[in-house]
Amino acid sequence: MYVYKVTAGIWCTLSFFIVAGSFIAFFMPYWLVRTHDVGTEVQDPSFKENGTLRVDSDSACGMMSYCVPYSYFPAMTSLNFSSHPHLQRCPLYKTFDDIPTIFGKVSAVMFAAGCLILLVSWIFSAISLCYGYMCDVSTYLLISVVQVFCLVINGVAILLWTLSWEQDEFTCLGDAYCGTMKQFDLGECEMGWGFLLALASTGSIFLAVLIGCLSFFLQKRTEE
């Protein structure tokens, strides 16, 4: 009789992991990753006035952050991270203007909006699960529709972010990062776990919608 509560519980749990995965992916830099040979000397347009940079780590680039592959500039001179917080190894973009390319800005806004809407929808699904009087067919249907909307905007955001790869101001272009890139062409980089998490979280929204709709039909049958 209450099978729909089981499916609703699965739906709520899956929605939580989708929200968590989306937020983690949004802020992590490991969407594009390049493994460097330690000791390689490269040029970074961001620090061209400081001469050659010596690589001592991997580089990475994400939607809201990136990782520089070195802690020395020019070669053999240590960075002072406490005095230069903007030179931290993996900084977040501090302001909207810091986000490179117009496609990157739009994709960041869309993905952030999708994450927030997913969080709100999960809160309502959790409340509906815990308090039976809120568990009606309209609740399941409404939240499922909202999740479909988030699936679309997060998917479009990821697609738009790949368009920024061809722009000159994209952070991960150049010898220190991914080399020459094009849309869907990773250059010298490879897909990192942050990118895979974003894709998995966005794709899982479709599964959550299916389970939400199943809960909707099972409850509707129970009430008939």
Side-chain angles (χ1 to χ4, degrees), residues 26 63 99-113 153-154 156-162 164:
F26 180 62
M63 189 173 285
I99 302 173
T101 82
I102 185 62
F103 293 115
K105 289 178 170 62
V106 174
S107 63
V109 170
M110 292 182 66
F111 201 88
I153 63 174
N154 280 17
V156 172
I158 294 173
L159 181 62
L160 286 177
W161 189 70
T162 65
S164 66

Side-chain angles (χ1 to χ4, degrees), residues 143-164:
I143 296 177
S144 295
V145 171
V146 170
Q147 288 180 327
V148 169
F149 175 72
C150 293
L151 171 63
V152 173
I153 63 174
N154 280 17
V156 172
I158 294 173
L159 181 62
L160 286 177
W161 189 70
T162 65
L163 290 175
S164 66

Side-chain angles (χ1 to χ4, degrees), residues 45-221:
S46 301
F47 301 101
K48 62 174 60 177
E49 69 277 10
N50 295 303
T52 301
L53 302 163
R54 177 165 294 178
V55 169
D56 63 356
S57 185
D58 297 338
S59 57
C61 190
M63 189 173 285
M64 280 298 294
S65 59
Y66 62 98
C67 289
V68 296
Y70 37 74
S71 59
Y72 299 93
F73 82 99
M76 304 306 294
T77 302
S78 177
L79 287 175
N80 187 340
F81 290 114
S82 60
S83 299
H84 303 283
H86 61 289
L87 296 178
Q88 290 176 355
R89 177 62 64 84
C90 298
L92 288 170
Y93 297 121
K94 302 297 184 183
T95 66
F96 184 71
D97 290 336
D98 289 339
I99 302 173
T101 82
I102 185 62
F103 293 115
K105 289 178 170 62
V106 174
S107 63
V109 170
M110 292 182 66
F111 201 88
C115 290
L116 291 174
I117 297 172
L118 283 171
L119 176 61
V120 173
S121 67
W122 172 75
I123 291 173
F124 275 100
S125 67
I127 294 174
S128 298
L129 182 65
C130 294
Y131 297 95
Y133 63 85
M134 292 187 64
C135 279
D136 54 32
V137 291
S138 60
T139 301
Y140 293 120
L141 184 59
L142 176 60
I143 296 177
S144 295
V145 171
V146 170
Q147 288 180 327
V148 169
F149 175 72
C150 293
L151 171 63
V152 173
I153 63 174
N154 280 17
V156 172
I158 294 173
L159 181 62
L160 286 177
W161 189 70
T162 65
L163 290 175
S164 66
W165 297 356
E166 297 181 352
Q167 306 299 308
D168 293 338
E169 63 269 33
F170 184 59
T171 302
C172 274
L173 293 177
D175 295 338
Y177 299 95
C178 300
T180 302
M181 300 178 67
K182 296 180 180 179
Q183 187 183 18
F184 306 123
D185 181 358
L186 302 180
E188 299 295 329
C189 285
E190 58 186 18
M191 191 178 295
W193 65 264
F195 204 164
L196 295 175
L197 181 60
L199 292 174
S201 298
T202 302
S204 297
I205 298 175
F206 179 72
L207 179 59
V209 171
L210 293 180
I211 297 176
C213 290
L214 178 61
S215 300
F216 165 74
F217 287 113
L218 288 174
Q219 185 178 12
K220 191 173 181 180
R221 175 184 294 181

Side-chain angles (χ1 to χ4, degrees), residues 3-43:
V3 177
Y4 74 90
K5 289 189 176 181
V6 176
T7 59
I10 296 173
W11 173 51
C12 185
T13 303
L14 177 60
S15 297
F16 169 78
F17 284 111
I18 290 172
V19 171
S22 297
F23 271 101
I24 291 172
F26 180 62
F27 289 105
M28 287 296 102
Y30 305 107
W31 288 48
L32 300 175
V33 180
R34 181 179 180 182
T35 302
H36 294 274
D37 295 327
V38 175
T40 303
E41 294 185 352
V42 297
Q43 294 286 339

